[in-house]
Structures are given as structure tokens and as C-alpha cells.
Amino acid sequence: MARIFIISNRVAIPKGGTHPGGLEVALKATLRKHPCVWMGWSGEVSEYPRTRTITQGANTYIVTDLKPDDFDEYYNGFANRVLWPILHYRLDLAEFARRDLSGYFRVNDHFATELEKVIADDDLVWVHDYHLIPIADALRRRGHSNRIGFFLHIPFPPPEVLTSLPNHEQLIPLLMQYDVVGFQTEGDAGNFVRYLMSERNQAREMRIFEIAGQQTTVSVSGQQTRIGNFPVGIEPRAFQRLARRNMRSPLVKEMVASLGGRLLVIGVDRLDYSKGLIQRLDAFDHFLANHREWIDRVIYLQITPKNRSEIPEYAELEEALGSAAGRINGKYGEVSWTPIRYVNRVYGRAALAGLYRAARVGLVTPLRDGMNLVAKEYVAAQDPEDPGVLILSRFAGAAIEFRRALLVNPYDPESVAGAIAQALAMPIEERRARHQALLAAVLDHDVDRWQREFLAALRGDDDVMGPFQVRGARARPRRQRPEITYSGPSAAVRLKPVRKNGGSVPA
């Protein structure tokens, strides 16, 4: 039976203490349903790196160490000081060094070398996130024709932003070495197609094929890559049970008792500038200033585990957040009431599930986010009879599904402050109606659907793409598909809608 090779920067080994956040949650269904090999960095830095294999049940985990230079150039350098800010639209924070780009390609080549030792011809390869864009190209250069898919968990900006990436023409086109490239939203997928149109179509040979659902196939010089949006989800039923159970945990019961009857607003985010935490505290300051009736009646709990503290921008953000929380508490607080509880420690998913359920308002206001699973977990955790209200940034991928949340512009503190007041005062009938619609969206786009649809696209086992094909093998007859032959300026072409008769799409 063909295995699924999962390649990511970090690997979550069961009971191993390594937990790469939302990726671990997203891949649980895949690991449970298929024989998998999960490969990536061990999290260890050593002058004498080792590669280790751990087998647990039907799954195998392969982790490899990085040398200090590799860690500095690949991880701290190009991945997190160039790709991360640019893909989150923060051109002002990108710091490019050619040495870091070389280290990025070197580490990806190292991962491909380790993968080559264990992969079989019929194995599927599923690569995750911006750290590992060149993996498919490294495998193709070694002669591997496996089906290889790539999923980007974070945003993909338009070409006007992406072309600010130094040497983008060396890196981004390598995504076309994958059989499937998946994004969180239709907008992200469209941005990638627009990039290809504007930057990689000098010979005017690009063709765009219509595919059923939210997918498109781009063909360049006869090489086809399927591009689609596959919104990642959670396991909502399991999270509902977790939230109900942990409302009775000592931690949550103690926290609820400490509120003294006040309402709780909660935010849970990694320490990162993309999360809009400074802007969120500013909005809470505006809320307290403009809605004095809520003084001493509400507490805002912000849980923000430290992250990438060795990078100066993150250390500065950590200091700024602590100062802002202290300033607001000093400005509005009383002996018996502190408006903000700002916590830097890590809490497990069970504890967070109970805290979400106890909160009247979930405050999720990133400046830019691929999806944001905290928003989905907050919705799933609520008591349907007395649910809380989700305030969500319109720049999070989840906003596309969550139209019944209170959608806000995180750059506008007055609008966020007004949404907090609206959420706290919202009648229970409206809270129930909004929650019912949001929960339906969470149930519809759960994590099982995400992995099932992506892997189906990767296998090519639907009636549009035809049977499973290995790159380089003779193709079997496929159903004729309508196509667009792109031969003009990129500004004159839109990804959607696609005409059924195969005609070109007008501006």
C-alpha cells in the first residue's frame, strides 16, 4: 500500500514533546487514516547532526538535526526574516541576505537527500508550508516522478507584493514542480495564478484548464499543476466534547471564580507581528475609554506564548506588548479589578477549550492570516444555548466562511472597540443565531474534508483529472476539459469565472 510522506519544518512525535501548533492538529486525521511517514527538522541544532527514525503504530517519524549555520540561514534567516513577512504583506520587516537564500536551498536539498533514502516509487509526498518550497524540484532533479503536493498554510500575496521578494523568479516558479499546489482561500490561489501569468508567461504558452470545484490546472510548456483552495479545519465534534469536559477542570473553574461575575474576553495567539496584538490592545484601550459602562464589568485575557525570541523583531514586540498591557492596566485598573490579564505561558488544547467556552467574546484580529484555527476552535467550544460572540479580522482566511462573525478591520481601533461593546451587549437570541451559522461552517469544512479533498486531488482519482498518473508516464485518455489559452497582458485575465465553452475570460 502506498504511503503518504508528510514533509514539514517541524515534526510532532507522539509523546515526544515537540508540538508544531496548528499543523499537528490539522494532520491528526491523515495520520489516523493512512500509513504515513512524517519527516522534518528535529528542533535540535548540532555541529554533528543526526537523523533518527521513530516508529509508532502504523506511522513512522523521521527527524534530522540542523547545523548552526543551517539554522541561522534557513530558519532564522530566509524563512522567517524574508518569506514570513513578505507572505504576510509586511515588506517593511523583510531583511534579505543572499547567504540566507543559499542556506534555505541547502537545507531543502538536505531534506530531499534524506527523503530519497526511504521513498518508494508509488508513495505520495505532501509538503507543508513556506519553509520547503524547493523540495519538489530537488526530488525531480534526482529523477523522482512521484505525485508531490504542496500546501501553504499562510497567505499568498498578489504579484505586486510578491515580486518585492529578492530572487522571487528563482524560487516561486519551483511550485510548478508540484502536481498539486493548495492554498487556504480562493484569493490566495488566484494570486498565484496571477503571478504565473505576469512573471512566467513570456512565451505566451500558458494554458488554464477548468476543474470541478475550487480548482484550476495551469499548463506551461506541457507541464501541468493543479492549483486549488482547500480551507483547513478542525475536528469540531471532538473539540466540543473537550470544551464541555474542561469547563469542570480546576484551572477553568478557578479562572471563572476569579472573574467575580464579570464577562470574559479572550485572545489566544502566538507572539507574532502578523497577529495584530499591539493594535488589539490599542482597540481595547479605546473600548474602555468610549464605553465607561463596562469599567469593572469585563476582563480581557490575552494568552500569548513567546515565539522566535532570538529574532530582534519578536523580542521588541514582546517588550512592547508588556508595556502596553501595563499602561492600560495602570490607566483604568482599580485595587479590586485589573482589565487585562496578559499571560506568556503555554496552555494545552484541553485547557484552552474550557477557557474558550467560558468566554463571552473571542477576539481574533490578525492583520493577515492564512486561516486561523483559533477562530474555529472558539466557535466549536461554545455552549449552543448560551454562546459567546466571535470578533474576527476580515483579513483572516476564516472570514470567508464566517460571515456571521462580527467582522472588523484590525487597523481601525474604533471599529474593533465598537464590536467589543456590541458583542458584550448582544441579546442571547442573536448570539444563538450567529453561533448556529458559524458552527455549521465549522462542521462543513472540518479537517477530515481538508485532508480528504487534498489527497484526492493529489492522487488524481476523480473523473475530471482522470486516473492516478505518475509524472513522465504515458497518460491514459482523459475527459476533454474546457481551457483558456492565455496570450495577453495579465491585467486582462481573471481567474474566475471560466467560460464553459473554452473562450477567453474578459476583463
Side-chain angles (χ1 to χ4, degrees):
M1 183 178 181
R3 299 167 296 175
I4 297 173
F5 274 74
I6 298 168
I7 318 299
S8 65
N9 178 58
R10 296 296 300 275
V11 178
I13 302 171
K15 301 180 181 178
T18 300
H19 300 285
L23 182 60
E24 177 188 14
V25 175
L27 290 173
K28 282 179 65 177
T30 307
L31 293 162
R32 188 171 59 245
K33 294 171 181 273
H34 306 277
C36 295
V37 179
W38 192 349
M39 174 182 285
W41 175 37
S42 65
E44 298 294 324
V45 178
S46 172
E47 290 286 359
Y48 305 98
R50 299 178 301 149
T51 298
R52 300 176 292 286
T53 301
I54 302 101
T55 300
Q56 296 209 4
N59 298 319
T60 301
Y61 302 83
I62 301 174
V63 292
T64 183
D65 304 337
L66 294 180
K67 291 183 177 180
D69 285 349
D70 292 338
F71 173 75
D72 289 338
E73 295 168 15
Y74 152 78
Y75 184 73
N76 272 354
F78 192 73
N80 287 320
R81 301 186 79 166
V82 180
L83 285 179
W84 178 269
I86 288 178
L87 293 177
H88 284 87
Y89 297 63
R90 292 300 304 270
L91 310 186
D92 57 310
L93 296 178
E95 298 181 23
F96 177 76
R98 192 168 298 278
R99 181 189 64 181
D100 292 344
L101 178 62
S102 298
Y104 178 82
F105 277 101
R106 184 176 64 247
V107 170
N108 272 269
D109 202 64
H110 169 65
F111 283 142
T113 298
E114 295 298 323
L115 180 58
E116 188 178 31
K117 296 175 183 177
V118 291
I119 195 171
D121 290 343
D122 61 344
D123 289 329
L124 299 177
V125 181
W126 190 1
V127 180
H128 289 266
D129 236 357
Y130 61 101
H131 311 83
L132 303 172
I133 291 172
I135 286 284
D137 180 67
L139 290 173
R140 302 295 185 213
R141 286 188 282 104
R142 288 166 167 81
H144 292 280
S145 56
N146 300 66
R147 299 283 291 189
I148 310 176
F150 177 86
F151 186 80
L152 184 68
H153 291 260
I154 66 175
F156 192 91
E160 295 82 2
V161 173
L162 191 60
T163 50
S164 69
L165 172 67
N167 299 103
H168 65 88
E169 68 282 357
Q170 183 181 350
L171 177 64
I172 303 303
L174 297 183
L175 288 170
M176 291 298 289
Q177 294 294 333
Y178 290 92
D179 295 280
V180 178
V181 179
F183 299 91
Q184 296 279 19
T185 69
E186 184 180 332
D188 291 335
N191 285 339
F192 180 48
V193 174
R194 285 183 56 214
Y195 173 86
L196 294 173
M197 287 177 173
S198 64
E199 300 296 321
R200 302 301 296 177
N201 195 37
Q202 289 81 2
R204 299 295 188 257
E205 295 177 351
M206 183 178 295
R207 290 184 172 185
I208 302 175
F209 296 88
E210 181 191 21
I211 297 295
Q214 302 298 315
Q215 298 174 39
T216 300
T217 289
V218 173
S219 176
V220 180
S221 302
Q223 179 176 295
Q224 292 188 4
T225 296
R226 180 186 285 199
I227 300 165
N229 58 295
F230 304 85
V232 70
I234 63 171
E235 295 181 296
R237 297 299 187 195
F239 203 79
Q240 285 176 317
R241 293 191 295 271
L242 195 64
R244 287 194 299 268
R245 186 165 62 247
N246 280 277
M247 275 297 289
R248 302 188 295 272
S249 71
L251 171 70
V252 176
K253 289 172 68 175
E254 181 180 347
M255 191 281 302
V256 171
S258 73
L259 295 175
R262 301 177 182 91
L263 297 182
L264 178 66
V265 176
I266 192 169
V268 178
D269 310 82
R270 289 183 301 105
L271 182 68
D272 193 280
Y273 49 77
S274 69
K275 301 301 181 182
L277 295 169
I278 290 292
Q279 291 84 352
R280 191 182 306 172
L281 289 178
D282 185 35
F284 195 72
D285 186 354
H286 279 74
F287 161 72
L288 293 175
N290 297 338
H291 301 275
R292 308 291 296 188
E293 69 275 14
W294 287 104
I295 294 290
D296 200 20
R297 294 177 56 202
V298 64
I299 289 176
Y300 168 29
L301 171 62
Q302 178 61 50
I303 299 174
T304 304
K306 295 181 181 181
N307 180 51
R308 302 171 185 163
S309 297
E310 64 277 4
I311 298 177
E313 290 84 358
Y314 289 82
E316 293 168 8
L317 176 61
E318 180 183 338
E319 182 178 352
L321 284 170
S323 297
R327 176 181 56 78
I328 294 169
N329 282 336
K331 183 177 179 181
Y332 299 101
E334 301 173 2
V335 173
S336 59
W337 172 68
T338 302
I340 298 176
R341 299 180 184 178
Y342 176 59
V343 183
N344 287 131
R345 61 160 293 181
V346 176
Y347 289 91
R349 291 184 76 236
L352 291 176
L355 293 172
Y356 291 148
R357 193 175 179 90
R360 173 60 61 85
V361 177
L363 201 50
V364 184
T365 57
L367 303 181
R368 190 70 61 169
D369 219 337
M371 179 53 61
N372 197 292
L373 296 184
V374 169
K376 296 192 172 188
E377 289 180 341
Y378 177 79
V379 169
Q382 297 309 300
D383 177 358
E385 296 303 312
D386 187 20
V389 179
L390 175 65
I391 298 175
L392 180 63
S393 165
R394 61 178 60 254
F395 303 126
I400 295 171
E401 302 169 39
F402 283 180
R403 295 301 184 188
R404 293 303 304 277
L406 295 182
L407 298 180
V408 296
N409 176 359
Y411 293 95
D412 181 357
E414 293 290 348
S415 73
V416 178
I420 295 172
Q422 180 185 352
L424 291 170
M426 187 176 291
I428 192 167
E429 294 81 7
E430 183 180 353
R431 287 194 277 125
R432 287 173 178 166
R434 287 178 178 272
H435 175 259
Q436 185 178 17
L438 296 177
L439 183 60
V442 173
L443 294 170
D444 185 37
H445 287 284
D446 66 357
V447 73
D448 184 65
R449 176 177 174 180
W450 171 72
Q451 64 90 26
R452 185 177 66 249
E453 292 186 351
F454 188 94
L455 291 175
L458 182 56
R459 292 189 181 98
D461 58 3
D462 57 73
D463 64 349
V464 178
M465 284 295 287
F468 175 87
Q469 291 292 317
V470 176
R471 279 201 175 205
R474 180 172 298 182
R476 302 177 187 177
R478 294 181 178 179
R479 192 173 79 190
Q480 184 65 36
R481 293 167 296 184
E483 66 177 78
I484 304 168
T485 301
Y486 173 68
S487 59
S490 61
V493 178
R494 294 180 303 181
L495 181 60
K496 280 186 174 286
V498 178
R499 285 182 174 173
K500 299 294 184 182
N501 63 6
S504 60
V505 178

